[in-house]
Amino acid sequence: MRRIIMAALAAVSLGGMAHADTIKVGVIGPFSGPFALQGKNFKAGIDAYMAMHGDTVGDDKVEIIYRDVPAPDPAQSKALAQELIIKEGVQYLTGFYFTPDAMAVTPLLTQGNVPMVIMNAATSAIVTKSPFVVRTSFTLWQTSTPIAQVARDKGVDKVMSVVSDYGPGVDAENAFKAAFTAAGGTVVEAIRMPLSTNDFSPIMQRIRDSGAQAVFAFLPSGPTTLGFVKAYNQNGLKEAGIQFFAPGDLTQESDLPALGDTALGILTTFHYSVAHDSPENKAFVEAASRAIGNPAELSFPAVGAFDGMHVIYKMIEATDGEQDAQKAVDAVKGLAWESPRGPVEIDPESRHITENIYLREVAKSDDGTYYNKEIQTFEKQGDPGLAAAN
Ligand code: PHB
């Protein structure tokens, strides 16, 4: 008996015997508090991917471990990432809704030998903070550059820019201004609001007083964006003919029922609409709807999560379950696939996702549901933010 056990151990150590491991994946995101619906979308995307592709890669079983950071909190995010790496032994870190939470974790990756797959956080610079960061969401530079051209095409000369005062807001402001100015327009005033702002009436008054024909806005999707678009309507800006241009964070699908008819016609640019017309998206929406329970709650973090899992599965496959962050990241450089959002590719240089950006209009279907109707495609957009930073 003893001899048999010794032989078995020898076979394992020589790699002569297939052995199954559990690969732990740590997910950090907002799973409680005001942004809980965004975290719920991470989980829906992850569950949808695993329902469609199974919970094993080769011989290895994939186990997901969730950690809750309800609001942007870099210290809490870093502490939880440390706990996941050291105590839980996770081989991958993923999720990350807010930029500060992702930024705080990048210094841990090299020593931990752990790749980070960002499912949302959208400030351009995050990917430059560690060679082990890969991102499957979007950047504000990617989404806010095309909307500037759209505004110019609509004959708008003067815009007031209003953003949340942190990484993605600053990126949105800079991206919009660069493209709008290059196209001959003027940003008459640029306001950066504290992230905690929830009374937008004074800002709406400033927009009215500024003489701008339109407002460009970015806030992180959640109660913040819903409140901002409501304030735009309630303070009479729409009636006054002041147009509204924004990246799609401002019209996420889960906010549309609460905005109602007042949101109809708002133009946004974004990488994903739940209404995207493709077989891949149909299959995704079915699986993600089943996972989330209420299909009206589906929103863009679900597709970032679904594609993030695709990247992690490819990494596990390429490393045969071994913990080798460099090999895992190298394996997905240049990886291309058909996402529910359209064709995508991980740029081998930046490790950020190249994707189509769509111009969409908030519309109402025959059955009374609101959706983001895609009306124009800007194909294969990389991240202009990284070029701008160099
Ligand atoms: C971010 O913090 O990077 C972030 C959060 C929500 C968004 C976009 C960007 O809608």
Side-chain angles (χ1 to χ4, degrees), residues 97-100 120-123 138 140 166 168 218-221 249 300:
Y97 187 69
F98 293 108
T99 288
N120 189 70
T123 301
F138 60 98
L140 270 302
Y166 79 126
F218 167 79
L219 299 86
S221 268
D249 312 73
F300 65 93

Side-chain angles (χ1 to χ4, degrees), residues 245-258:
F245 297 96
D249 312 73
L250 275 285
T251 62
Q252 68 168 337
E253 283 77 1
S254 51
D255 285 350
L256 295 179

Side-chain angles (χ1 to χ4, degrees), residues 182-200:
T186 308
V187 174
V188 292
E189 200 179 334
I191 300 182
R192 297 180 183 178
M193 313 170 276
L195 255 181
S196 57
T197 307
N198 53 29
D199 175 8
F200 301 111

